[in-house]
Amino acid sequence: MAGPTAAIELDSATLRYGERLLWDGLDLRVEPGEFLAVLGPNGSGKTSLLKVLLGLSSLSGGSVTVGGTRPRKGSRLVGYVPQQKAFDADLGARGRDLVELGLQGHRYGLPWRSKAARQCVDEAIASVGASGYADRAVGRLSGGEQQRLRIAQALLGDPQVLLCDEPLLSLDLAHQRGVVELIDKRRRDHATAVVFVTHEINPVLPIVDRVLYLVNGKWAVGAPEDVMTSAILSELYGTQIDVLRVHDRLVVVGANDFAAEHHHIDEVA
């Protein structure tokens, strides 16, 4: 008897851009409700992995499924939270308008601005605690408030998988904590699988189930305590990397030096 369908499954997945290998032979199964953090230097293929799962890029080899089906652009199975980028303070659009963008095109089946659509938007906004400022100009909101609204947009359609691309970037610690708690609550309450791309594991370390670390065409996946070690990261980077635990935080020493020496890889995230 077949087991439950994986939220995400990659089998011998390979991705190349021209002659450059991002990762090869990647085997990964993400279960419903699992929180997977994806780490690695710029250019290691973290964002490219999200593009594959969104149906925006194709693998060079191997196979991938999301919710048991091939990824396709605009799938209701997937919600996407982008990096935090500031809006112009004079932008007239409301926070609610930002959320409503998730209803356009093939992203969601309800007619634009129908009563059912408005109710769906209201419910998504309420679910992230943003009802109090959803009608304010989005450019006047804080970065944390804007990011909550982006999460509300991603939750339209009740996705089975939530893909997050550096969602904590440019946020202060308080807003980072709020965003992390919000995403964690969603996955626990609704068994939503979360793939969370980040450069910094510490804000999500208490809630991460597994880590996928991508470096220079190689990868490692497992529990944080198994992957975030001096031995594993030194093997991936091909140079000495030290992982130190300071109180409840992990400090990786040497990875930034590697990134500086390989700055040209920034062209592909």
Side-chain angles (χ1 to χ4, degrees):
M1 182 176 179
T5 301
I8 295 168
E9 190 159 17
L10 293 107
D11 184 15
S12 299
T14 298
L15 187 64
R16 294 179 179 273
Y17 283 104
E19 295 298 315
R20 181 152 178 266
L21 177 67
L22 291 184
W23 23 268
D24 183 38
L26 177 58
D27 294 318
L28 176 68
R29 180 184 172 100
V30 181
E31 302 294 345
E34 184 176 3
F35 195 116
L36 176 77
V38 182
L39 293 98
N42 288 340
S44 58
K46 302 186 301 297
T47 296
S48 296
L49 173 62
L50 297 189
K51 289 180 179 179
V52 168
L53 299 177
L54 287 165
L56 301 177
S57 296
S58 298
L59 291 173
S60 306
S63 63
V64 57
T65 59
V66 176
T69 64
R70 293 180 61 183
R72 61 179 179 84
K73 184 179 179 180
S75 171
R76 287 179 57 188
L77 294 173
V78 179
Y80 173 65
V81 182
Q83 296 179 9
Q84 159 61 20
K85 295 181 180 179
F87 292 97
D88 191 306
D90 295 325
L91 183 66
R94 303 168 301 168
R96 179 180 304 278
D97 299 325
L98 175 63
V99 179
E100 287 179 350
L101 289 175
L103 294 174
Q104 297 187 58
H106 299 293
R107 176 64 183 83
Y108 194 74
L110 295 174
W112 177 241
R113 292 191 179 277
S114 68
K115 181 178 179 180
R118 290 195 300 271
Q119 181 178 350
C120 182
V121 169
D122 287 342
E123 290 174 353
I125 290 172
S127 74
V128 300
S131 300
Y133 49 81
D135 290 308
R136 290 166 52 192
V138 69
R140 302 285 181 176
L141 300 177
S142 70
E145 291 168 340
Q146 291 175 9
Q147 203 65 331
R148 281 179 176 265
L149 291 167
R150 287 188 175 94
I151 295 172
Q153 182 193 93
L155 296 181
L156 292 174
D158 192 26
Q160 296 179 22
V161 175
L162 195 60
L163 305 179
C164 305
D165 189 6
E166 298 275 7
L168 306 183
L169 205 64
S170 303
L171 298 182
D172 61 29
L173 290 177
H175 283 125
Q176 285 185 11
R177 189 176 302 112
V179 168
V180 169
E181 289 174 352
L182 186 60
I183 293 173
D184 186 43
K185 183 177 188 301
R186 165 70 194 192
R187 66 110 175 195
R188 291 183 182 278
D189 291 350
H190 298 272
T192 304
V194 175
V195 177
F196 195 99
V197 169
T198 180
H199 277 86
E200 172 57 67
I201 192 174
N202 287 301
V204 297
L205 188 58
I207 62 173
V208 165
D209 294 309
R210 288 190 299 158
V211 168
L212 170 63
Y213 210 109
L214 304 170
V215 183
N216 202 27
K218 296 179 286 187
W219 56 274
V221 63
E225 61 269 23
D226 295 328
V227 173
M228 301 299 294
T229 68
S230 299
I232 293 296
L233 295 193
S234 294
E235 181 180 351
L236 289 176
Y237 279 95
T239 189
Q240 181 60 42
I241 303 292
D242 294 312
V243 179
L244 311 175
R245 182 173 286 275
V246 181
H247 302 297
D248 293 326
R249 296 177 61 83
L250 292 178
V251 179
V252 179
V253 180
N256 288 338
D257 295 336
F258 175 92
E261 294 174 4
H262 297 76
H263 63 276
H264 61 280
I265 65 178
D266 291 353
E267 296 172 2
V268 180

